[in-house]
């Protein structure tokens, strides 16, 4: 047994000639490995210089705020929310909230700091009962925010709900500023496990991290395509005595280089080609068939890696007869609507809560129950509206004939929905009507 040679696994060796089990081994591409996280400078460069990456970050945010928002609820009818529209506009609240969401997607998270005049310092809890004004809303990106004062017994799980946040001001006079969590609104980019939050200083990764491999691969493919297009046509010269002169003395080699440079100069600049009668010239075009199909594979991989349909991500228009992207756009708007409810509505509700608390402290009557609602992003066509009106009119007729609704009830509903205008009926004075 002592002389028995140990059994060696075939995959324990790396063959430098064939490339097996080395980084050049293509079979290893099926194994996932963690690459480095993108830094702030890399994210800035990608966002500024790559249109597709910028669209991945921006599009859901821009579509979410495109139609604005409104406040509704059982107590909202008796309150004039238009009276605080000027405050919202002065704060530029919707755009600032959108920027907080935007930078959270780019940098992995962002913090909205609510500067409220309540007689307390920023590191103390916000007291809405003494709030007199919401002065401003400021956005700080995740790389400059560190959760502090969290429960050490929970470890990384407490990063999402710390007692304070330490704000680093990279270009200001103050190096560090502590803000109580009640004066902030946290927006996360991508959710990650608590363990990963330790490595990210209490935050998650950028949305670009998740699709960076696909974006890079598509960029590499397009670079190769550009190189192929540059060399798609190759000039071929058959020069008498080329081999002998090229293998001859240094002087003959220099003379041959001079001949080639002269020919190339003549073709490129003078569009004239003069050759010896024994020489020949031709052009050979490279075959690029299948290049588009191969490129589309990488485009499809990028589309699958995102939550955006192809028409939205790439800005493509459907081609062919009767081609339509309505289904993709509707699906995208449904996704945006879900993101509005999940991310945008809670943030705007917190801002409105503070504004209404300030109004209440001034003695105004404010609603106790209300909700944030967003207008529909998909606008029906004239034909679709006509079909909807027709179906509703048919339903109203059935309700009326069966005694479910009266004519006055149907008219009141149509007026409330803006379908018809209210008509003031003349009062009956009880007098006789002459003939």
């Amino acid at each position: 047994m002592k002389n028995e040679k140990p059994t060696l696994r075939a995959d324990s060796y790396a063959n430098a000639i064939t490339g097996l089990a080395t980084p050049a081994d293509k079979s290893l591409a099926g194994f996932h490995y963690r690459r480095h996280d993108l830094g702030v400078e890399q994210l800035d460069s990608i966002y500024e210089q790559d249109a597709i990456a910028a669209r991945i970050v921006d599009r859901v945010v821009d579509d979410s705020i495109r139609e604005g928002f409104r406040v509704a609820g059982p107590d909202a009818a008796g309150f004039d929310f238009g009276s605080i529209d000027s405050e919202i506009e002065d704060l530029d609240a919707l755009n600032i909230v959108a920027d907080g969401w935007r930078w959270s997607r780019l940098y992995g998270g962002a913090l909205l700091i609510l500067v409220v005049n309540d007689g307390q310092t920023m590191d103390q809890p916000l007291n809405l009962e003494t709030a007199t004004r919401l002065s401003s809303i400021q956005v700080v990106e995740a790389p400059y925010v560190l959760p502090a004062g969290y429960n050490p017994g929970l470890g990384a799980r407490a990063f999402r709900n710390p007692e304070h946040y330490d704000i680093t001001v990279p270009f200001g006079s103050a190096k560090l500023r502590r803000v109580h969590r009640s004066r902030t609104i946290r927006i996360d980019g991508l959710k990650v496990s608590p363990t990963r939050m330790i490595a990210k200083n209490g935050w998650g990764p950028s949305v670009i991290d998740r699709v960076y491999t696909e974006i890079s691969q598509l960029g590499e493919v397009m670079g190769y395509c550009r190189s192929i297009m540059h060399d798609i046509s190759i000039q071929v010269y058959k020069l008498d005595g080329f081999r002998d002169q090229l293998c001859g003395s240094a002087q003959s080699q220099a003379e041959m280089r001079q001949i080639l440079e002269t020919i190339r100069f003549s073709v490129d600049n003078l569009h004239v080609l003069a050759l010896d009668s024994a020489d020949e010239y031709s052009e050979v075009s490279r075959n690029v068939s299948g290049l588009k199909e191969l490129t589309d594979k990488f485009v499809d991989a990028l589309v699958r890696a995102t939550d955006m349909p192809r028409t939205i991500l790439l800005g493509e228009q459907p081609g062919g007869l009767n081609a339509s992207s309505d289904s993709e756009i509707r699906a995208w708007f449904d996704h945006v609507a879900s993101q509005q409810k999940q991310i945008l509505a809670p943030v705007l509700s917190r801002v409105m809560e503070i504004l209404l608390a300030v109004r209440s402290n001034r003695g105004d009557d404010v609603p106790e129950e209300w909700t944030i609602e967003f207008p529909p992003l998909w606008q029906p066509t004239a034909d679709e509206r006509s079909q909807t009106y027709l179906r509703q009119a048919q339903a109203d007729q059935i309700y009326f004939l069966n005694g479910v609704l009266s004519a006055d009830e149907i008219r009141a509903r149509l007026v409330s929905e803006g379908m018809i205008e209210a008509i003031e009926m003349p009062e009956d004075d009880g007098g006789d009507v002459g003939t």
Side-chain angles (χ1 to χ4, degrees), residues 312-383:
I312 299 296
L313 177 62
L314 304 178
E316 293 181 345
Q317 296 296 327
L321 295 175
N322 300 322
S324 175
S325 60
D326 287 355
S327 60
E328 286 190 356
I329 295 177
R330 286 177 183 267
W332 167 248
F333 284 156
D334 289 342
H335 172 71
V336 173
S338 68
Q339 294 295 295
Q340 287 176 326
K341 295 179 181 179
Q342 181 179 351
I343 298 176
L344 201 56
V347 177
L348 293 174
S349 295
R350 178 59 173 168
V351 174
M352 290 298 301
E353 180 185 4
I354 296 175
L355 291 176
L356 293 177
V358 171
R359 286 297 185 95
S360 178
N361 294 337
R362 295 176 185 174
D364 297 346
D365 292 331
V366 299
E368 295 182 0
E369 297 183 10
W370 45 270
T371 57
I372 298 292
E373 294 185 354
F374 301 93
L377 297 171
W378 177 264
Q379 302 298 330
T381 64
D383 290 340

Side-chain angles (χ1 to χ4, degrees), residues 43-44 47 56-58 60-61 95-112 139-143 145 160 185-192 200 202-210 339 342-344 347:
L43 292 171
D44 286 338
Y47 178 74
I56 292 173
V57 173
D58 292 338
V60 64
V61 179
N95 289 326
I96 293 177
V97 169
D99 283 343
W101 185 8
R102 189 188 320 277
W103 304 140
S104 75
R105 291 176 60 81
L106 178 60
Y107 297 110
L111 205 65
L112 296 177
V139 181
V140 182
E141 301 83 358
V145 179
R160 295 191 190 278
I185 303 176
R186 178 189 177 110
I187 307 178
D188 288 287
L190 292 178
K191 299 293 186 180
V192 294
K200 301 290 292 183
W203 297 94
S206 167
V207 295
I208 302 299
D209 274 291
R210 184 164 289 178
Q339 294 295 295
Q342 181 179 351
I343 298 176
L344 201 56
V347 177

Side-chain angles (χ1 to χ4, degrees), residues 22-238:
T22 69
D25 187 352
K26 295 180 176 59
S27 66
L28 296 180
F31 296 89
H32 180 76
Y33 66 94
R34 181 181 297 279
R35 55 169 176 77
H36 70 281
D37 295 332
L38 298 175
V40 175
E41 294 184 0
Q42 289 177 296
L43 292 171
D44 286 338
S45 300
I46 295 172
Y47 178 74
E48 294 171 8
Q49 300 174 10
D50 191 298
I52 293 180
R55 192 174 294 122
I56 292 173
V57 173
D58 292 338
R59 186 60 188 264
V60 64
V61 179
D62 293 337
D63 283 349
S64 293
I65 67 171
R66 189 185 65 194
E67 300 295 335
F69 71 97
R70 67 185 184 92
V71 182
D75 297 338
F79 182 78
D80 181 17
F81 281 96
S83 62
I84 60 175
D85 283 347
S86 59
E87 291 186 54
I88 296 176
E89 292 179 0
D90 291 342
L91 288 169
D92 199 21
L94 185 58
N95 289 326
I96 293 177
V97 169
D99 283 343
W101 185 8
R102 189 188 320 277
W103 304 140
S104 75
R105 291 176 60 81
L106 178 60
Y107 297 110
L111 205 65
L112 296 177
I113 300 178
L114 307 170
V115 183
V116 182
N117 299 341
D118 63 340
Q120 307 292 330
T121 58
M122 293 294 292
D123 60 341
Q124 295 178 329
L126 174 61
N127 188 356
L128 290 180
E129 295 181 357
T130 60
T132 59
R133 183 188 178 192
L134 175 58
S135 301
S136 65
I137 306 174
Q138 301 177 13
V139 181
V140 182
E141 301 83 358
Y144 308 109
V145 179
L146 183 64
Y150 55 87
N151 185 349
L154 296 177
R157 291 168 177 78
F159 273 136
R160 295 191 190 278
N161 193 29
E163 190 69 19
H164 298 90
Y165 287 99
D166 287 337
I167 312 298
T168 303
V169 184
F171 306 111
S173 56
K175 295 298 183 182
L176 193 67
R177 188 176 185 182
R178 177 158 290 189
V179 180
H180 194 270
R181 68 180 182 188
S182 61
R183 299 178 183 272
T184 67
I185 303 176
R186 178 189 177 110
I187 307 178
D188 288 287
L190 292 178
K191 299 293 186 180
V192 294
S193 66
T195 304
R196 281 296 295 161
M197 292 181 70
I198 297 177
K200 301 290 292 183
N201 292 327
W203 297 94
S206 167
V207 295
I208 302 299
D209 274 291
R210 184 164 289 178
V211 298
Y212 180 70
T213 299
E214 288 75 15
I215 291 178
S216 300
Q217 290 176 347
L218 180 58
E220 293 172 2
V221 170
M222 298 307 295
Y224 283 124
C225 291
R226 183 175 56 189
S227 300
I228 292 174
M229 295 303 295
H230 178 73
D231 298 328
I232 193 171
S233 179
I234 302 176
Q235 297 177 347
V236 179
Y237 302 100
K238 294 182 179 180

Side-chain angles (χ1 to χ4, degrees), residues 299-315:
V299 175
D300 293 340
L302 176 59
V303 173
R304 289 194 301 269
T306 69
D307 52 11
M308 304 174 67
R310 187 184 183 106
T311 54
I312 299 296
L313 177 62
L314 304 178

